[in-house]
Amino acid sequence: MVKSSFTTSDGLKLAFQDEGEGTPVLCLSGLTRNGNDFDYVAPYLSNVRLIRLDYRGRGASDWDENFNNYSIPVEARDAVELLDHLNIDKAAILGTSRGGLIAMVLAATVKDRLVGICLNDIGPQIATEGLGKIMGYVGRNPTAKTMNELIAKLPTHFTEFGPVPDGRWQTEAEHHYRETAEGLKINYDPALRDALIEAAKQPPVDLWPLFDAMNDLPLALIRGANSDLLSMETTAEMQRRRPDMIFTNVPDRGHIPFLDEVESLTALNQFIRAIT
């Protein structure tokens, strides 16, 4: 599907996809990823208008000359500006990893624009093991020289994943890397790494108030049973604070579930019924 674009208040052109009819669901992807992440789940969701954003510096969107703008507050502003561009007053958020953190910020700042939030493998406390793994690869091109070599390596890098659909690792590679004369390149701005390093210098922020800001919105959580980013301890506290939260623990999945698993779809369909 060809992506459309809009221009942000600070002049960047950001790519997005907009398809379907019904309650708008804004899909926000993980840190280094883009709207293509939701290709797996899109065919299974009905009665919703699925809107997928490529953050600044990712996918088909413009890169920002100031890497400090690769931040959750700026990306949250971009998300609201996309809704404004589409003349959408209220939307649900399906937030994967970083997208879920952005969703929490939106709940704390523009709750009147939201009708519900579904979090994909993210919570208000991030496990250091998973964060360390992310810092090990973000902003760096893969060592594999060809797409076929990378496809063969991916299962060994993601041992927390059990069986996946045929061709899934190939699709993952094609979504997030591109072949060039110099070898494989990431399809996002490498300066995203600099943004993370700078952010890590700041004092830790308590994110539980952001979680609590979702208190009267329909809420769902999809977790990979083998996740190294969202612990079961954090999950249990999320459930204690929100006993009404729709929850599923997807077997044979780490960070992040693809969202087309039976368990994920069951939770998503329950969530969609709650917001429509």
Side-chain angles (χ1 to χ4, degrees):
M1 182 178 179
V2 176
K3 296 186 178 183
S4 303
S5 65
F6 76 105
T7 302
T8 64
S9 55
D10 59 350
L12 264 65
K13 185 175 289 187
L14 303 189
F16 69 93
Q17 294 168 259
D18 181 6
E19 59 187 332
E21 295 180 356
T23 300
V25 177
L26 178 59
C27 299
L28 301 176
S29 58
L31 173 68
T32 64
R33 304 166 78 93
N34 57 69
N36 291 340
D37 263 7
F38 301 96
D39 285 357
Y40 307 128
V41 70
Y44 298 99
L45 299 183
S46 57
N47 302 318
V48 296
R49 178 181 175 184
L50 210 62
I51 303 158
R52 302 182 249 172
L53 173 65
D54 285 5
Y55 302 132
R56 57 179 62 209
R58 283 80 137 191
S61 291
D62 286 349
W63 292 7
D64 198 313
E65 293 181 356
N66 180 2
F67 67 74
N68 288 310
N69 287 332
Y70 297 140
S71 70
I72 288 174
V74 172
E75 289 159 10
R77 185 187 71 199
D78 291 340
V80 173
E81 289 183 1
L82 173 56
L83 294 180
D84 291 342
H85 171 76
L86 296 172
N87 295 313
I88 294 173
D89 292 330
K90 291 177 176 284
I93 306 292
L94 172 54
T96 290
S97 194
R98 186 178 182 93
L101 298 177
I102 294 171
M104 291 186 225
V105 168
L106 294 174
T109 56
V110 290
K111 183 185 280 189
D112 60 315
R113 304 294 298 271
L114 306 182
V115 297
I117 292 173
C118 179
L119 304 172
N120 182 17
D121 210 59
I122 191 66
Q125 285 187 311
I126 299 173
T128 55
E129 179 186 356
L131 192 58
K133 183 176 180 180
I134 289 169
M135 288 305 299
Y137 69 77
V138 67
R140 293 171 172 166
N141 293 318
T143 56
K145 301 302 180 186
T146 67
M147 197 66 79
N148 285 338
E149 183 184 349
L150 177 64
I151 293 165
K153 283 185 174 183
L154 283 179
T156 66
H157 288 309
F158 292 95
T159 56
E160 65 273 28
F161 283 74
V164 303
D166 290 344
R168 181 57 51 92
W169 294 123
Q170 178 177 344
T171 304
E172 281 289 286
E174 292 171 348
H175 275 178
H176 305 296
Y177 302 91
R178 53 190 175 84
E179 288 189 291
T180 74
E182 294 79 34
L184 292 181
K185 303 286 186 182
I186 52 179
N187 69 340
Y188 61 90
D189 187 350
L192 184 58
R193 181 178 186 84
D194 300 315
L196 289 187
I197 291 172
E198 285 300 311
K201 296 177 182 178
Q202 304 303 312
V205 177
D206 179 8
L207 300 181
W208 283 106
L210 298 184
F211 179 82
D212 292 337
M214 302 185 290
N215 60 358
D216 53 358
L217 290 171
L219 179 63
L221 172 63
I222 296 168
R223 178 183 183 269
N226 302 327
S227 177
D228 58 5
L229 200 79
L230 176 60
S231 71
M232 275 306 301
E233 290 77 13
T234 297
T235 301
E237 177 61 14
M238 294 167 74
Q239 291 177 299
R240 188 191 71 79
R241 295 186 185 216
R242 284 295 303 267
D244 62 323
M245 180 175 70
I246 299 163
F247 173 65
T248 189
N249 208 26
V250 185
D252 290 323
R253 292 291 180 264
H255 184 74
I256 49 176
F258 297 115
L259 297 180
D260 62 347
E261 302 89 359
V262 170
E263 297 82 3
S264 296
L265 292 173
T266 298
L268 275 168
N269 283 320
Q270 187 178 349
F271 173 70
I272 289 170
R273 287 194 296 272
I275 62 172
T276 55

